[in-house]
Amino acid sequence: MIGFLKAKTAPIVKSIRSRSQDARRNRKDDHSDLSPPLSDSTSMGSTHSAVPSSEERPTATLVVPDLPGTTSSDVKPPTRRIAEKSYMADGTVPLLLREGVQMTKVSPGKQKSYIFKLDPDQGQIIWQSKKLRIIPIENIKELRFSSDARYYRQQFQLAQDYEDRWITIIYILNGAYKTLHLISSTEDVFRMWDITLRKLYAIRQELMTGIGNEEIRHAIWEKQYWKASDESSDQKLRFDEVEKLCRRLNVNTSTEELKRLFKQADTKCQGFLNFSDFQRFVKLLKARPDITLLYKKLCYNNDGQFDFSIFEHFMRDTQKSTLSRPELLKLFTHYVKKSDGSLDASPPHSPPSPEGPASPPTRLLSPPLSTSPPSEAVFSQPLTAPINVSVAYITHKLSASSQSPRLVMSLDGFTSFLLSSDNSAFIEQQGKVWHDMTRPLSEYLVSSSHNTYLIGHQLVGSSTIEGYIRALLHSCRSVEIDVYDGDSGPMIFHGKTFTSKVPVREVCEAIAKYAFVTSPYPVIISAEIHCSVLQQEMMVEVMRDVFQDALVSAPVENRPTLKVLPSPEHLKGKVLLKAKNLYVSENESIRTKEVSVDTESSSTETSADSDVVQDIRDERIKPRVFEMDAINEVKDDLKRARSLFDRVRSGHSRNMPGVAALAVPTVTTSEPPARPEFRNVSKVKMSTAVASLLVYTVGVKCRGINKKEHYAPEHMFSLSEKTANKVMKQGMVDLIKHNRTHLVRIYPKGLRVNSSNYLPHRYWAAGAQLVAINWQTFDLGYMINHAMFQRNGRAGYVLKPLALRTHDKALLSRHTQHSLDIVVISAQQLPRPKDSLGHEIMDKSMVDPYVEVSIHVPDWAHASYYQSSSSSATPSPSSTSSTGRLLSRRTNSVKNNGFNPVWQEVLSLPFDCVGDMFDLIFVRFAVRRDGDNDEEPIAVYCVSLGSLAMGYRHLPLHDTQLSQYLFSTLFVTCAIN
C-alpha cells in the first residue's frame, strides 16, 4: 500500500514547498499588514487555516525535499491531490515526532512540560499527563502558529520571545470546543510540528468535504485500524486481536463466521494475518451485499453485462441526471473495466479550469436561481468537475464500440461510482460560486451571527474574539458588536450582564484577518453603539486604522441619492458598518446634537428589547409558557436574569411602546421618560464620524410597512423574532415586498438566555436577508443555517428563491403538495462516541441503530394570496411561530450492529411547498441508538431539499457539531412525487 501511495505523492510536495517558501519570505511583513486580504477560496466543508494569505502567514516552515524518483515537474491534476497527500499520512512524519518530543503545555496560571507524539497511522496527537490524552486530527477545527496565536499569548501574559515557538490547536471533543497551547523547545522542533501537522490536517479536512476519494479513505482506515489492532507490535494479527477489532467496530458477526473469514484471508495458513492478509480480511468484512443486489438487478436483462446502455438508463431514470450523452460516457469510461478485467485506458478525472465560469448544478424541482431562465446547455453541465476527455476521444469510443470488446463496468467500478463525489447527494458538491453575484444585496440571504463575541451563555458567557474567528471561517458574512465605554477605549460585551469584555481593536483585528479567508464577499458589522461620542470617535479611528481601504465610508453631506443597493460582487473584499443612524429624519441636516437612542438591541438592558420587558409584564397576567427547557438547564442563571430584567423594567415607564406597533400602519412615537439612574444610558450624542461609515447599511427605526412609509434603499431595520412574528402574521406579503429592495435583520429574542436558536427558514420565507444565529449553539436552528450556506461555494451569500425576488404574484401564490419518499437501505461504519480525553467509549459495546428522517417546512404565511388547505405535513406538538412545521418518520432498529446495519425500509414524508421554494425546505437524517431517544443522535446529515440529489446516494454523516466522520455513510434512495 505504501508503494501505491508513494507513487502519487510527488506533486503536492512541490506545492507545499512553494507555500512554505512564500510564508518564510513574507514573515517579516506580518506585523504591519492587518488589512483584510482577498481570497477566492471557496472549497466546501473544511475549516481553513487561520491565515488568509501567504503575506500574513507568520510561521517559518520546512522546505520539503523531493522524494526519491520525483522531480518538480511531476504535476498531476488537482483532483488527485488527495491520493498524493495520503502518503504524507504515513511516510513523511519525522521520527522525532513519532517517538515524541518534549514541549511546554500552557494553561491558565501554569506551564508544564510533557512528551507529545504525532501518530500519523492513528491520526492522533498523544500526550500523557495524569491520564493518556488524545486529540484525533479530524477533530481539529483550526491550527494557529506563531503570531497567529498572539491573542492567546497576550492573554496568558507571556513574553513575546515565546511567539516564534507557539502552537495553538483548537479542537472539539465530547461536544465542546477546547484549546491546547504549546511552546516548542526549539525553533527546529516548531518548524517540524508546523509543516507536518498542517499536512496531516489538510489530508483529513479534504476527506471531510463530502464523499469520494474512496481509495485513500480506505487506505487511511486500514492503516489506522491495523496499528490499533496490532497490540504486540509484531506486524501480525492473531485471531483474538482480529476478534477484538471487530467488537470495537460493532461488527455483529458470530465467532464462527469471523473464524471463517479469518481463514479465508490467511491464504498461507500461517495462523495470523500480515498486512496484505489484513487487507483481504477487511475487504471480506466490508462487503456490500446491498450494492451487489442492485448491480445484479440492473444488468439482469442484459446477460449480466453492465455496459453503457445500462449505465445511461440508470442515470436517466433513477438518478434523474440531466447530463448529455457524451458527458455520461465520460463518466462511464472513468469507472469502467473491460470485459477481460483490465483497466480501461480512459483519461483521468480532472477539474474545470479555474478561469472558466462556474456552472449551476442540476436543479430538481426548484426554478433556477439566476435572474433569467438558463439555457438547456447550462442545465447539461455535470454535477461535479468534468472529466477531461476530448470530443475526439468520445467519438472514437462510440465509433469503435461495435468493433472492439464491449466496455463493461464491474461491480467494483459501480461501487466506486456510487461512493464517489460524481454521485454526491449534495448537488453543489463541486464547491463553486455559481449564483449571479451582481444582483442588489437585498436579493440574497446572508449568513449572519448574533452576539458574535459570546461563545456561551447570553448572561454569564465569555466575550472573546474566538466567536468572530469561528463564524468567519465558516463563511458568516454578518457579525455583531455591542460597544460600550471602557476605561481606556471602547469595549465589546453584553450590557448589564456578567459577560466578560473584549476591546474593539482586538475584535476588528480578528475580523480583518479572517474576513476573507473562506469567502471574498462583503462582511457587514452590525453594531449596537452605547458609548459616548468620544469613544465613538475612538471606535471609528480604530476601524479606519485596522480595515483601511476595505472599510466603506462616505462624507455625511451631499451624498448622491442611492436608487438601488450595490451587489456582493461590487463590494468584494469590503467591510460595511451597520448601526442606527440617529440623524435620519425628513429634511434634517447633520449636526451634533443630543438625541434619544432607539437601538434595535438584543442586549438585556435596552428599551428596544421590548419583548423582554413586555414578556415580564405579561407574566403578571398569565402563567409562564416560554422557554421551559432553558429554565430547566440554567435555573441558577435565571435567578440572576430575573434580577436583571426587573432592573430593566424599573428603568422604564409603564407607557412604553408596544412591539405590535411595528406591524401596523400607525406607529406609537411617544418615548418613555428616562429615570435618573438610566439618563446617561438612554440619552447619548452620536458622532458624525460614525455616520460617515453608514453608507449602504443605515439602521433606522421601523415605522411600519405600508405604502405611506418610505424607506431609502440603504435604510434597514432590525426586528426581534417576536416582533418579526407579529409583522409576518399581520402582513407577510407586505414584508416580502419590502425585502425585495431593502435589507432586514432578524435576531433572537432576549429570553433565549441559553443561546438557543429559532429555525431560520421561517424568516427566510419572508424574504429577510440577515437572520442572525447564535453560532455557539449546535442545535437544529444552527444545523439548518449551516445547510443553507454550504450552498453557492460557501460564499455566505445565497440568492433568494425566485418567488421572493420577482413581482410574479402567480408564482408566490402557487401552492403544491408533494411527498418525499426515502428508502433507507444501509449504513456503513457508524462511529463510536469519544470522551473528553479523546478515547472511544467502549462500555456501550453494541448499538441498536435506527434512522429518523424529518422534513422541516416553513409555515407558509402568505395568507393574502391563498387560504391554505390542511397541510399533509402535520405540525409537531412543540411547533411554535418561530419553528415552522415538522414531520418525522423512523425505521425499525437493527439489533447489535453498528458496522453495516441494513434496513431496506421506505419512509414517506408528505409536505407542501409555496412558490416552488424547495430551497427553504430542509431534510434531516439522524442515526439514533434505540432506547436513547432523548440523547443526541449518533450521526446526522442535513440538507436543503433543493440541493438533495435524487436516486441512490451515500450521505456523509456528521457529528452534532457538524464535523464529518471520515468513514461513516448512510445509503439511501430519494424521490419526490
Side-chain angles (χ1 to χ4, degrees):
M1 186 195 72
I2 291 179
F4 161 74
L5 296 175
K6 183 175 180 180
K8 299 174 179 289
T9 188
I12 196 63
V13 174
K14 177 185 176 184
S15 172
I16 292 177
R17 183 173 66 249
S18 174
R19 288 198 301 269
S20 301
Q21 290 169 338
D22 288 343
R24 189 169 58 255
R25 190 164 49 245
N26 293 296
R27 180 178 178 183
K28 61 184 179 181
D29 300 326
D30 176 70
H31 302 289
S32 60
D33 184 13
L34 286 172
S35 59
L38 295 181
S39 170
D40 291 324
S41 173
T42 53
S43 64
M44 291 185 51
S46 64
T47 301
H48 294 264
S49 166
V51 188
S53 69
S54 61
E55 285 77 14
E56 292 194 65
R57 183 168 295 172
T59 55
T61 51
L62 289 176
V63 177
V64 181
D66 286 327
L67 294 176
T70 66
T71 68
S72 60
S73 62
D74 295 334
V75 179
K76 294 187 178 68
T79 53
R80 301 181 69 184
R81 286 176 185 165
I82 285 287
E84 296 158 352
K85 287 181 181 181
S86 64
Y87 177 73
M88 299 173 189
D90 62 9
T92 62
V93 174
L95 183 62
L96 180 65
L97 301 190
R98 289 172 178 262
E99 293 181 345
V101 60
Q102 192 165 36
M103 294 198 288
T104 302
K105 181 177 179 291
V106 182
S107 306
K110 63 179 180 180
Q111 296 89 44
K112 193 169 182 179
S113 291
Y114 299 102
I115 301 295
F116 286 83
K117 299 179 182 179
L118 187 54
D119 185 336
D121 298 329
Q122 295 280 72
Q124 296 173 343
I125 299 170
I126 305 168
W127 77 99
Q128 179 83 45
S129 55
K130 293 180 180 178
K131 298 180 179 179
L132 181 66
R133 296 182 177 271
I134 298 169
I135 300 177
I137 293 175
E138 59 262 31
N139 287 39
I140 295 175
K141 307 302 289 186
E142 195 185 345
L143 296 170
R144 297 186 198 162
F145 295 88
S146 191
S147 61
D148 275 349
R150 182 179 301 151
Y151 172 76
Y152 284 110
R153 180 184 58 76
Q154 292 173 341
Q155 294 292 308
F156 290 120
Q157 298 181 342
L158 294 177
Q160 188 170 355
D161 295 345
Y162 296 112
E163 188 163 286
D164 289 343
R165 295 179 284 126
W166 189 287
I167 302 170
T168 289
I169 300 169
I170 300 172
Y171 61 101
I172 286 184
L173 269 182
N174 200 26
Y177 269 92
K178 299 177 183 293
T179 55
L180 174 66
H181 308 288
L182 302 173
I183 301 174
S184 62
S185 54
T186 68
E187 289 195 12
D188 287 339
V189 170
F190 170 83
R191 284 192 291 269
M192 270 192 271
W193 274 95
D194 180 5
I195 190 68
T196 308
L197 193 53
R198 283 189 196 276
K199 289 188 297 186
L200 295 180
Y201 173 71
I203 294 166
R204 289 322 201 260
Q205 288 301 301
E206 289 197 46
L207 287 172
M208 293 165 65
T209 60
I211 63 171
N213 302 295
E214 190 59 25
E215 282 186 333
I216 307 309
R217 199 181 302 271
H218 182 66
I220 289 177
W221 187 94
E222 287 178 334
K223 291 292 289 183
Q224 181 170 319
Y225 284 96
W226 165 259
K227 182 166 183 178
S229 304
D230 186 14
E231 296 177 351
S232 56
S233 300
D234 59 0
Q235 302 299 304
K236 300 175 183 178
L237 286 191
R238 291 162 181 82
F239 179 75
D240 59 332
E241 293 173 315
V242 169
E243 187 174 31
K244 187 179 294 186
L245 167 65
C246 292
R247 299 302 170 232
R248 176 187 172 192
L249 291 172
N250 281 320
V251 176
N252 181 25
T253 304
S254 66
T255 300
E256 291 73 20
E257 176 65 12
L258 283 181
K259 284 183 178 179
R260 186 186 70 80
L261 296 177
F262 183 90
K263 290 179 180 178
Q264 192 173 343
D266 181 15
T267 55
K268 297 179 181 178
C269 300
Q270 301 175 98
F272 62 84
L273 304 182
N274 58 27
F275 186 70
S276 61
D277 295 334
F278 174 70
Q279 290 178 300
R280 195 174 299 109
F281 176 82
V282 168
K283 186 172 183 179
L284 294 171
L285 195 65
K286 295 172 72 172
R288 294 290 303 276
D290 48 352
I291 295 180
T292 302
L293 183 63
L294 173 62
Y295 179 84
K296 290 180 178 179
K297 179 180 176 182
L298 289 173
C299 56
Y300 178 76
N301 293 323
N302 196 41
D303 296 328
Q305 300 294 298
F306 198 110
D307 59 14
F308 178 66
S309 64
I310 298 296
F311 181 75
E312 184 178 26
H313 186 269
F314 172 71
M315 294 297 289
R316 295 272 185 242
D317 293 357
T318 304
Q319 306 300 87
K320 307 301 180 187
S321 173
T322 59
L323 298 180
S324 67
R325 194 165 189 262
E327 287 167 335
L328 285 177
L329 185 58
K330 293 178 189 179
L331 203 57
F332 178 74
T333 54
H334 183 62
Y335 293 96
V336 78
K337 288 185 178 180
K338 289 185 179 180
S339 302
D340 62 3
S342 62
L343 283 172
D344 180 67
S346 58
H349 207 82
S350 64
S353 168
E355 291 80 15
S359 303
T362 305
R363 307 290 299 172
L364 299 173
L365 289 171
S366 308
L369 293 180
S370 56
T371 54
S372 59
S375 65
E376 291 184 5
V378 171
F379 274 111
S380 67
Q381 296 297 320
L383 300 184
T384 59
I387 299 166
N388 186 21
V389 183
S390 67
V391 174
Y393 174 83
I394 294 296
T395 304
H396 168 73
K397 282 291 182 185
L398 288 172
S399 62
S401 61
S402 60
Q403 303 165 6
S404 60
R406 184 167 51 163
L407 298 178
V408 174
M409 183 181 289
S410 68
L411 174 60
D412 286 345
F414 183 57
T415 301
S416 295
F417 167 71
L418 289 178
L419 285 163
S420 74
S421 58
D422 292 309
N423 192 52
S424 170
F426 183 56
I427 286 177
E428 302 189 39
Q429 178 71 24
Q430 60 184 348
K432 284 278 190 177
V433 176
W434 64 275
H435 291 190
D436 181 357
M437 302 303 288
T438 64
R439 305 298 302 163
L441 282 174
S442 56
E443 295 194 12
Y444 298 85
L445 305 177
V446 184
S447 181
S448 304
S449 167
H450 171 248
N451 285 355
T452 319
Y453 48 87
L454 293 180
I455 56 172
H457 200 277
Q458 294 288 310
L459 300 180
V460 294
S462 298
S463 301
T464 170
I465 65 170
E466 283 305 320
Y468 296 92
I469 296 172
R470 292 175 194 172
L472 291 169
L473 287 177
H474 285 82
S475 73
C476 178
R477 297 291 88 189
S478 176
V479 296
E480 184 177 11
I481 60 175
D482 292 353
V483 188
Y484 293 84
D485 284 336
D487 294 337
S488 57
M491 304 291 288
I492 293 174
F493 63 97
H494 204 183
K496 290 293 179 72
T497 67
F498 299 101
T499 59
S500 57
K501 303 177 182 181
V502 60
V504 165
R505 178 172 287 276
E506 288 185 6
V507 168
C508 289
E509 288 176 348
I511 293 173
K513 194 159 197 173
Y514 293 89
F516 306 109
V517 173
T518 304
S519 168
Y521 294 102
V523 169
I524 301 171
I525 300 176
S526 180
E528 296 175 7
I529 301 174
H530 308 278
C531 56
S532 63
V533 169
L534 176 61
Q535 295 215 4
Q536 288 177 37
E537 292 174 348
M538 293 172 67
M539 179 193 77
V540 172
E541 183 179 350
V542 166
M543 289 184 171
R544 290 188 181 277
D545 178 49
V546 172
F547 298 126
Q548 299 183 10
D549 293 341
L551 185 64
V552 173
S553 64
V556 294
E557 297 284 3
N558 302 318
R559 289 185 186 177
T561 301
L562 190 67
K563 297 188 181 297
V564 65
L565 288 170
S567 68
E569 185 67 30
H570 177 77
L571 295 172
K572 228 173 183 179
K574 295 295 184 181
V575 176
L576 288 74
L577 179 67
K578 177 263 172 186
K580 180 67 69 70
N581 191 329
L582 307 181
Y583 299 105
V584 173
S585 60
E586 297 295 329
N587 303 318
E588 185 172 17
S589 61
I590 298 291
R591 62 183 186 276
T592 301
K593 64 174 185 177
E594 191 175 68
V595 294
S596 176
V597 175
D598 179 18
T599 62
E600 61 279 338
S601 172
S602 56
S603 300
T604 43
E605 92 288 8
T606 57
S607 62
D609 200 0
S610 50
D611 20 330
V612 176
V613 183
Q614 189 67 42
D615 282 343
I616 294 174
R617 293 178 55 164
D618 292 345
E619 286 175 0
R620 296 183 178 274
I621 302 172
K622 61 183 181 180
R624 282 186 182 175
V625 292
F626 62 85
E627 301 297 319
M628 292 306 297
D629 55 340
I631 292 175
N632 291 333
E633 291 178 17
V634 289
K635 286 182 179 180
D636 293 338
D637 294 337
L638 277 175
K639 290 178 182 178
R640 284 180 275 182
R642 292 191 195 101
S643 173
L644 291 171
F645 294 151
D646 288 339
R647 266 189 283 161
V648 173
R649 185 163 62 102
S650 68
H652 297 272
S653 71
R654 296 187 180 185
N655 183 29
M656 65 186 305
V659 290
L662 296 176
V664 296
T666 59
V667 176
T668 305
T669 56
S670 61
E671 298 195 357
R675 299 177 73 90
E677 65 187 78
F678 280 94
R679 188 172 301 279
N680 291 333
V681 175
S682 60
K683 294 284 186 178
V684 302
K685 292 179 180 179
M686 180 178 180
S687 167
T688 55
V690 174
S692 70
L693 302 184
L694 307 179
V695 181
Y696 303 121
T697 47
V698 181
V700 298
K701 182 177 181 179
C702 179
R703 305 182 301 272
I705 303 173
N706 54 74
K707 295 179 180 179
K708 295 180 181 179
E709 297 295 343
H710 173 74
Y711 298 92
E714 66 270 23
H715 289 176
M716 64 178 293
F717 49 76
S718 296
L719 305 173
S720 76
E721 64 174 289
K722 182 173 181 180
T723 303
N725 290 339
K726 291 178 180 289
V727 173
M728 291 162 62
K729 184 176 181 180
Q730 298 188 22
M732 178 74 156
V733 174
D734 288 335
L735 184 58
I736 290 174
K737 289 179 180 178
H738 176 85
N739 291 339
R740 286 177 186 145
T741 53
H742 296 78
L743 294 174
V744 167
R745 181 175 183 268
I746 310 295
Y747 61 89
K749 61 186 178 182
L751 288 175
R752 291 185 180 271
V753 293
N754 63 338
S755 299
S756 63
N757 284 304
Y758 45 53
L759 302 190
H761 61 314
R762 166 175 170 80
Y763 305 105
W764 292 330
Q769 298 88 355
L770 286 77
V771 181
I773 292 292
N774 288 313
W775 283 60
Q776 68 269 41
T777 306
F778 301 107
D779 55 12
L780 181 59
Y782 175 87
M783 192 177 297
I784 287 175
N785 189 78
H786 180 270
M788 171 61 81
F789 292 105
Q790 288 295 298
R791 301 174 55 218
N792 196 33
R794 297 179 70 231
Y797 286 82
V798 172
L799 266 173
K800 295 181 189 177
L802 196 62
L804 299 178
R805 296 188 284 116
T806 67
H807 297 275
D808 188 344
K809 292 184 179 180
L811 177 59
L812 187 59
S813 61
R814 183 182 300 159
H815 187 207
T816 52
Q817 301 286 338
H818 305 272
S819 175
L820 174 63
D821 297 329
I822 304 288
V823 181
V824 179
I825 302 173
S826 61
Q828 293 74 46
Q829 301 172 64
L830 295 178
R832 278 191 178 278
K834 292 184 172 70
D835 60 21
S836 58
L837 301 178
H839 300 284
E840 290 182 345
I841 300 174
M842 302 298 292
D843 56 346
K844 295 181 179 179
S845 58
M846 289 292 181
V847 295
D848 299 337
Y850 69 90
V851 178
E852 178 185 66
V853 182
S854 55
I855 189 166
H856 301 267
V857 185
D859 51 346
W860 313 107
H862 311 153
S864 299
Y865 284 175
Y866 71 88
Q867 291 296 323
S868 176
S869 60
S870 59
S871 171
S872 54
T874 309
S876 163
S878 61
S879 289
T880 70
S881 57
S882 295
T883 62
R885 286 167 294 130
L886 159 68
L887 181 69
S888 294
R889 296 283 186 265
R890 58 157 288 181
T891 67
N892 294 311
S893 60
V894 174
K895 298 300 181 184
N896 299 330
N897 190 346
F899 184 71
N900 54 0
V902 176
W903 291 276
Q904 288 286 358
E905 291 189 41
V906 180
L907 305 179
S908 184
L909 296 93
F911 67 95
D912 64 333
C913 184
V914 167
D916 293 338
M917 292 189 278
F918 294 92
D919 292 332
L920 303 185
I921 299 171
F922 291 84
V923 185
R924 181 176 184 253
F925 299 81
V927 182
R928 296 184 178 274
R929 186 195 306 267
D930 202 18
D932 293 344
N933 298 348
D934 294 332
E935 293 187 9
E936 289 187 337
I938 299 172
V940 295
Y941 181 70
C942 185
V943 64
S944 162
L945 185 57
S947 297
L948 178 62
M950 299 293 103
Y952 287 86
R953 310 287 172 176
H954 283 90
L955 310 181
L957 294 176
H958 300 71
D959 63 21
T960 50
Q961 288 78 42
L962 300 185
S963 294
Q964 184 181 326
Y965 292 114
L966 279 180
F967 312 116
S968 303
T969 53
L970 183 67
F971 190 37
V972 300
T973 61
C974 308
I976 295 179
N977 299 310

